[in-house]
């Protein structure tokens, strides 16, 4: 006679073991992301703080670790948790709300695909791609009503995958441009 109950229990044990193994792999991947981003954080944090900007390392849902470029992307969610390093400009009157909005009109509307609303809070995000072994920088700062400005280097708008040195180099370019904007803004406001 076949022991169905025993076979079910055996299969349940295999499924539980596979599930625990997947959880363990996910935890290890998250820890590698955290370690890589912590290394970057430790290197850039003093300069970011000195400039008066906010920097934080935290865990979040994967869909927050990218820039949404369409209506569909803004409503796609992932339950996967990732580590994210983020620079924000909330204390800068000039830069605070210069991020390109990530809200878009729905596909069935007259304005489908266009930005919905003005600028969003500015940020620069960093993630670690564990599969490729590279960092990824996502700058979203210095937009003028969702348009790229002419008075900054166009590279500040481009995302980049690369080594830590490449990412720090791009960050330096982005920060030099936004700090110059801020300096010019403060000179104009102070001179009025």
């Amino acid at each position: 006679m076949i022991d169905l109950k025993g076979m079910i229990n055996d299969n349940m044990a295999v499924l539980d073991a596979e599930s625990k193994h997947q959880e363990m792999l996910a935890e290890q991947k998250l820890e590698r992301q955290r370690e890589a981003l912590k290394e970057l954080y430790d290197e850039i944090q003093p300069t970011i703080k000195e400039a008066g900007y906010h920097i934080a390392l935290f865990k979040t849902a994967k869909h927050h670790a990218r820039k949404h470029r369409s209506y569909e992307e803004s409503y796609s969610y992932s339950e996967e948790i990732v580590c994210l390093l983020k620079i924000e400009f909330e204390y800068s009157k000039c830069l605070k709300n210069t991020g390109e909005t990530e809200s878009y009109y729905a596909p069935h509307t007259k304005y489908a695909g266009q930005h919905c609303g003005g600028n969003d809070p500015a940020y620069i995000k960093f993630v670690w791609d564990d599969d490729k072994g590279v960092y990824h920088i996502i700058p979203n700062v210095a937009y003028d009503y969702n348009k790229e400005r002419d008075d900054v280097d166009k590279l500040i708008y481009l995302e980049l995958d690369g080594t830590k040195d490449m990412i720090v180099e791009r960050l330096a370019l982005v920060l030099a441009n936004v700090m110059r904007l801020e300096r010019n803004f403060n000179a104009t406001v102070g001179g009025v």
Side-chain angles (χ1 to χ4, degrees), residues 25-42:
L25 291 176
E27 287 175 17
Q28 289 174 347
K29 182 177 180 178
L30 192 61
E31 182 58 24
R32 287 190 300 272
Q33 289 174 355
R34 192 197 71 70
E35 287 173 5
L37 291 172
K38 177 73 168 106
E39 184 180 322
L40 180 61
Y41 174 89
D42 290 342

Side-chain angles (χ1 to χ4, degrees), residues 37-56 85 87 168 171 175 179:
L37 291 172
K38 177 73 168 106
E39 184 180 322
L40 180 61
Y41 174 89
D42 290 342
E43 189 168 316
I44 67 176
Q45 185 266 351
T47 304
I48 302 303
K49 291 282 188 189
E50 183 180 318
Y53 307 135
H54 177 75
I55 183 169
L85 180 60
I87 298 171
V168 170
L171 176 62
L175 290 177
M179 288 171 148

Side-chain angles (χ1 to χ4, degrees), residues 111-145:
Y111 301 104
Q114 296 180 27
H115 290 286
C116 180
N119 287 14
D120 279 348
Y123 63 76
I124 303 171
K125 294 178 184 176
F126 305 87
V127 293
W128 171 256
D129 186 327
D130 198 55
D131 297 328
K132 295 179 183 175
V134 295
Y135 291 91
H136 185 74
I137 183 173
I138 308 161
N140 187 18
V141 62
Y143 285 89
D144 185 15
Y145 295 99

Side-chain angles (χ1 to χ4, degrees), residues 12-159:
M12 293 277 288
V14 168
L15 291 172
D16 288 344
E18 287 175 356
S19 179
K20 286 180 183 175
H21 181 70
Q22 290 301 320
E23 288 174 17
M24 181 191 69
L25 291 176
E27 287 175 17
Q28 289 174 347
K29 182 177 180 178
L30 192 61
E31 182 58 24
R32 287 190 300 272
Q33 289 174 355
R34 192 197 71 70
E35 287 173 5
L37 291 172
K38 177 73 168 106
E39 184 180 322
L40 180 61
Y41 174 89
D42 290 342
E43 189 168 316
I44 67 176
Q45 185 266 351
T47 304
I48 302 303
K49 291 282 188 189
E50 183 180 318
Y53 307 135
H54 177 75
I55 183 169
L57 175 62
F58 54 93
K59 295 177 186 175
T60 187
K62 189 174 184 174
H63 66 273
H64 291 298
R66 60 186 165 86
K67 185 174 178 184
H68 303 136
R69 291 189 171 71
S70 69
Y71 178 82
E72 292 78 14
E73 281 185 12
S74 63
Y75 286 98
S76 65
Y77 294 97
S78 168
E79 292 184 21
E80 182 181 351
I81 300 297
V82 297
C83 286
L84 174 70
L85 180 60
K86 187 175 183 182
I87 298 171
E88 295 178 325
F89 304 90
E90 71 264 20
Y91 301 117
S92 170
K93 290 180 184 177
C94 171
L95 301 173
K96 181 179 181 176
N97 291 311
T98 62
E100 183 179 34
T101 186
E102 296 180 49
S103 298
Y104 296 86
Y105 287 102
H108 62 278
T109 65
K110 176 180 174 182
Y111 301 104
Q114 296 180 27
H115 290 286
C116 180
N119 287 14
D120 279 348
Y123 63 76
I124 303 171
K125 294 178 184 176
F126 305 87
V127 293
W128 171 256
D129 186 327
D130 198 55
D131 297 328
K132 295 179 183 175
V134 295
Y135 291 91
H136 185 74
I137 183 173
I138 308 161
N140 187 18
V141 62
Y143 285 89
D144 185 15
Y145 295 99
N146 298 313
K147 303 280 188 242
E148 293 180 1
R149 300 173 61 107
D150 293 327
D151 57 347
V152 297
D153 188 320
K154 298 300 181 192
L155 285 175
I156 76 165
Y157 299 114
L158 300 179
E159 295 181 24

